[in-house]
Amino acid sequence: MTAIAIWRNTENPDHPTLWAVADSLVSRGPAPLIGDAAKLFMLPVTCRVPGPEGFFSEICSNHSYGYAFAGSTLVGQNTYLALVPLLTNLIHREPYSPSLTEVGEYIANYLSATFDDLRVTMGRDAMFEVAIFGWCPVQQTLGLFRIRPVIQQGGMYGIESSYVDFSNEQFVYLGDYSREISELITAAIDAEGTTTRAPKRVIGQCIGSGDYPSVGGDIQLAVADRFGFKPYMLYRPRIQPPGGVEITYLGRVIEDEFLHLGSALVSIPSLP
């Protein structure tokens, strides 16, 4: 039901980034359900300190990470919606910026508590994977925190979390057909000689091939760096009517009523 790749992009050696690409299909069994589902989200983390009046009104740190999920859409999206108010209302007596590891461990603890209930009510439908990724303002490096259920001693499922710093990992894959698509991405990276946009092309080919029924819709692309998380739109040659280019987001053409809100312009960068 999902194919997500997250990797360190080295196109600009002086400004390394983490790229993430996902499909946009949600299915119910073999039947497609939603073709433009978002699976990559901005996860803001905001901390405040006391202002002159003594209230926690001054922002001392404000950063954003990428949040990606595979598996249960209900679990992934509901967890995200629950986490945003918690992570944007942090307070501290002194200026403080949480590290990526601290944020990841907090989310892992939250998911561990909720998963105990979900596995009873939803069974195998509650299975999921979550990745929190981006620039850590404390460690001053790009990293990823991966959270997923695993079978522990005694045969029971529990939540496992791990940190990836990409020093020994070319990419992280979440979703269906893990072995098959991971092999394709590895081969593409090896052929290209560096980890630039090869995973994006592979996910796009998997979406278009029809060989992976639970992977479909369109590409969702995002980039995380020291400035935070930013979604990207795609621009492609226009098919109908032919000629020129069109800009899309989750497979929908962004023009006319989707390009403007009142007198403001929707300004998300785009890539081919």
Side-chain angles (χ1 to χ4, degrees):
M1 198 157 69
T2 293
I4 299 174
I6 303 167
W7 71 101
R8 190 174 187 267
N9 185 295
T10 57
E11 288 179 335
N12 184 349
D14 298 326
H15 184 65
T17 57
L18 287 184
W19 282 39
V21 64
D23 74 323
S24 65
L25 176 67
V26 172
S27 55
R28 179 178 293 166
L33 189 62
I34 300 174
D36 60 349
K39 301 177 184 180
L40 303 175
F41 297 88
M42 176 190 291
L43 186 67
V45 180
T46 304
C47 187
R48 293 176 173 84
V49 294
E53 301 84 6
F55 300 105
F56 289 95
S57 56
E58 300 288 333
I59 294 177
C60 64
S61 64
N62 187 32
H63 191 52
S64 60
Y65 295 102
Y67 173 97
F69 73 89
S72 170
T73 301
L74 179 62
V75 174
Q77 291 187 353
N78 187 67
T79 299
Y80 171 79
L81 294 172
L83 287 169
V84 170
L86 297 173
L87 297 178
T88 54
N89 286 282
L90 304 175
I91 60 173
H92 203 283
R93 290 175 295 178
E94 300 174 350
Y96 176 70
S97 180
S99 68
L100 172 58
T101 298
E102 290 171 325
V103 172
E105 289 175 345
Y106 182 91
I107 295 172
N109 290 335
Y110 185 90
L111 280 166
S112 181
T114 59
F115 186 68
D116 286 341
D117 297 329
L118 292 170
R119 65 185 180 186
V120 174
T121 58
M122 297 179 63
R124 292 193 60 82
D125 290 339
M127 300 302 289
F128 66 91
E129 293 179 89
V130 169
I132 313 300
F133 60 95
W135 175 264
C136 177
V138 178
Q139 297 178 336
Q140 295 286 293
T141 187
L142 294 165
L144 178 147
F145 209 87
R146 186 172 190 171
I147 306 164
R148 54 185 171 178
V150 296
I151 297 179
Q152 299 177 331
Q153 289 185 351
M156 296 293 291
Y157 275 102
I159 298 299
E160 176 189 77
S161 59
S162 58
Y163 179 79
V164 178
D165 64 6
F166 289 96
S167 60
N168 297 312
E169 298 285 344
Q170 290 182 311
F171 64 94
V172 171
Y173 180 83
L174 288 73
D176 298 333
Y177 312 103
S178 177
R179 180 182 59 81
E180 297 92 332
I181 296 180
S182 291
E183 289 177 354
L184 293 174
I185 294 175
T186 299
I189 291 174
D190 291 343
E192 188 172 282
T194 183
T195 53
T196 54
R197 304 190 184 187
K200 174 180 176 290
R201 289 196 293 274
V202 170
I203 298 296
Q205 291 165 359
C206 291
I207 291 173
S209 70
D211 295 333
Y212 308 94
S214 62
V215 176
D218 201 2
I219 286 178
Q220 183 181 1
L221 174 66
V223 175
D225 59 16
R226 67 189 63 185
F227 302 109
F229 173 92
K230 183 177 286 295
Y232 274 74
M233 296 192 288
L234 304 175
Y235 66 85
R236 298 164 169 154
R238 183 183 295 277
I239 300 176
Q240 293 294 335
V245 298
E246 61 184 15
I247 298 175
T248 65
Y249 181 70
L250 294 175
R252 295 191 179 276
V253 178
I254 304 300
E255 60 184 10
D256 301 331
E257 69 271 21
F258 295 142
L259 191 58
H260 298 90
L261 195 160
S263 58
L265 179 70
V266 175
S267 180
I268 299 178
S270 59
L271 286 167

